[in-house]
Amino acid sequence: MPGLFLTDLTLSHFRSHVRARMELDGRPIAIFGPNGAGKTNILEAVSLLSPGRGLRRASPDEIARRPEALGWKISAVLRSLHQIHEVETFAEPGGARTVMIDGKAATQTALGRIARVLWLVPAMDRLWIEGAEGRRRFLDRMTLSFEPGHGEAVLSYEKSMRERNRLLKDGVRDAGWYGALEAQMAEAGAAIQTKRADAIVRLQAAQEGAETAFPAAALALAGPDGEEEPWGEDALKAAFAEGRPKDMAAGRTLVGPHRADLGAVYTAKGVPAAQCSTGEQKALLISLILANGRALADDFGAAPILLLDEVAAHLDAGRRAALYDEICALGAQAWMTGTGAELFEGLEGRAQFFEVSETDGVSSVAEKA
C-alpha cells in the first residue's frame, strides 16, 4: 500500500535539540511533554521538509541552537508512494538554507514534488478574525500542496511587485519603466488566481459527502473589502496600468492577487466564519485540513503528512476521538503535540508515543511503549 511518511528523523543543533533521532513506522505520532520542552520544534523541523520557511516562518539563523549558533541540520528518510528518499536540509551560520535529496542539491520546489506537508498551529486559531494576509497564506499553503509550482508563481509575482513598488515610491512616471514589470506581474498573478481557484474547487469537492464530525465550510475569494478583483492576465495588466496614479499616491500596489481575501461560511448554519464561536472556528480549520488531506489522497496517491500542534487541547473528548478516527481512516502520518499522554487516549496501538523533556535548555526525545 503506497503511503507518504517519514521512517527516520534526525535533528542536529536545531532550536532546543542538540541531537535527537526518531525512528518511525508510518503511524500517527503523539508527542507529549511540558510547555517549553521542545515539542513544537520537532513539528517545525518536519515542516521544513516542504517548500517555504516552515510553520514558524523563521529565517535560517533564527533556527540555529543558541548559544552555539553552529548552524543546524535536519535529516530524514521519506517514504513517498513506492519510493524511498533521503532528504536533508541545513544552514551554516549566516548562510541560506540548503536542500539535498538523495545526495544531490535540490530546490525547495523539488521537496514539494515528493512530499506534501500541511499544518495547523495555535497561531492560526484567529485566522478568520484577523488580517487577510494570514488567510492568503493558509490558502496558498493548501494550493501548494496540490501544485508545487504555485510557490514559484508567488515568488515571481512578489519580486516584480517589489520592483514596481520601488518605482512608485521614487515617483517614476515613465510608463516604459512599468510595462515589463506589470506584464510579469499579470502573468504570474493570473497563474496564482487559477491555482487558488482550483484548490478551492478541490477542497469543496472533498467536503461534499464526506463522513466527518467536523463542519463543512463554503469558501470564496474576493478582493479587499469584498469587491470583485480583476481576473486573468489581461484584466490584471489593465488594472495595474490604470491604477498607477492611486498606487503612486499610496506608494504601493493596491490591486492584485496579493490583496485577495479568503472567505469562509459555516455551511450548515450559513454563518461567516468570522462570526462563529472560537470552537466553531477551530472546527472549521480542522475540517479544511482534513478535506485537504482527502483531496490529496486522491490526487497525489497518499494522504499528506499532517502537523497538528496542541490541537487536542482545544477539543472536547468526543471531538478528539473523532479527529483521531478520521486521521487513522485517512492513513495520514499526523504529528500531534500535547502536554500530557492522556490527551491522546484512544490512540493506543494506533500511534507511536514520544515524550519530550528539557534539562538545562537541552531537549530530549524518547519513545514510550
Side-chain angles (χ1 to χ4, degrees), residues 96-153:
R97 176 182 162 204
T98 298
V99 173
M100 304 283 289
I101 300 177
D102 297 327
K104 298 180 181 178
T107 64
Q108 290 190 28
T109 300
L111 284 176
R113 300 195 191 286
I114 62 172
R116 303 291 197 271
V117 184
L118 303 174
W119 55 78
L120 189 59
V121 298
M124 296 164 65
D125 287 353
R126 296 177 61 82
L127 185 80
W128 304 118
I129 58 176
E130 293 189 338
E133 181 181 359
R135 290 186 288 276
R136 282 194 301 273
R137 191 179 300 128
F138 179 68
L139 175 58
D140 281 336
R141 189 77 217 167
M142 292 191 289
T143 303
L144 188 68
S145 74
F146 294 116
E147 177 47 67
H150 178 67
E152 295 176 350

Side-chain angles (χ1 to χ4, degrees), residues 28 31-32 47 52 76 97 154 171 191 205 218 221 227 249 265 275 297 315:
I31 303 172
F32 63 94
S47 75
R97 176 182 162 204
V154 171
L221 271 176
E227 77 271 15
V265 173
Q275 297 175 20
L315 300 174

Side-chain angles (χ1 to χ4, degrees), residues 35-57:
N35 291 328
K39 304 184 299 294
T40 303
N41 296 340
I42 296 173
L43 269 59
E44 182 183 20
V46 178
S47 75
L48 288 167
L49 299 175
S50 66
R53 295 170 60 184
L55 58 80
R56 283 191 174 118
R57 295 180 56 76

Side-chain angles (χ1 to χ4, degrees), residues 16-20 37-38 42 355-359 362-366:
S16 57
H17 297 271
V18 174
R19 179 173 172 80
I42 296 173
E355 184 174 10
V356 180
S357 57
E358 182 268 337
T359 304
V362 178
S363 297
S364 60
V365 184

Side-chain angles (χ1 to χ4, degrees), residues 145-365:
S145 74
F146 294 116
E147 177 47 67
H150 178 67
E152 295 176 350
V154 171
L155 290 174
S156 175
Y157 180 86
E158 291 178 346
K159 179 176 183 293
S160 299
M161 184 174 66
R162 284 194 299 270
E163 295 180 21
R164 182 179 187 268
N165 287 348
R166 192 175 299 116
L167 294 179
L168 293 168
K169 290 178 181 178
D170 291 343
V172 175
R173 296 183 179 277
D174 187 343
W177 286 91
Y178 290 94
L181 289 174
E182 291 172 354
Q184 292 169 4
M185 288 174 64
E187 180 180 6
I192 291 168
Q193 291 175 327
T194 299
K195 290 180 173 65
R196 284 175 175 170
D198 181 61
I200 288 175
V201 169
R202 296 191 195 196
L203 290 167
Q204 298 288 183
Q207 292 182 91
E208 293 173 4
E211 294 185 10
T212 175
F214 295 90
L219 304 175
L221 271 176
D225 302 318
E227 77 271 15
E228 185 176 349
E229 63 172 335
W231 188 272
E233 187 171 346
D234 291 341
L236 284 170
K237 192 183 299 183
F240 294 143
E242 293 169 6
R244 287 174 201 160
K246 287 184 179 180
D247 292 352
M248 188 169 293
R252 58 192 175 91
T253 304
L254 296 175
V255 67
H258 67 288
R259 299 273 288 165
D261 195 1
L262 174 66
V265 173
Y266 189 142
T267 305
K269 294 186 175 183
V271 177
Q275 297 175 20
C276 290
S277 69
T278 301
E280 289 172 335
Q281 291 177 359
K282 183 76 171 187
L284 287 169
L285 284 172
I286 294 173
S287 176
L288 289 173
I289 292 293
L290 292 172
N292 197 168
R294 289 192 293 271
L296 279 171
D298 292 335
D299 181 75
F300 181 69
I305 294 171
L306 302 179
L307 309 178
L308 306 175
D309 193 23
E310 300 291 347
V311 69
H314 298 278
L315 300 174
D316 60 33
R319 275 270 170 83
R320 281 203 299 269
L323 174 61
Y324 300 155
D325 287 345
E326 291 197 39
I327 286 170
C328 292
L330 184 60
Q333 187 183 58
W335 299 61
M336 298 169 284
T337 64
T339 53
E342 70 280 358
L343 290 170
F344 304 104
E345 184 179 352
L347 274 174
E348 295 87 351
R350 299 193 293 171
Q352 289 181 271
F353 284 69
F354 290 86
E355 184 174 10
V356 180
S357 57
E358 182 268 337
T359 304
D360 296 329
V362 178
S363 297
S364 60
V365 184

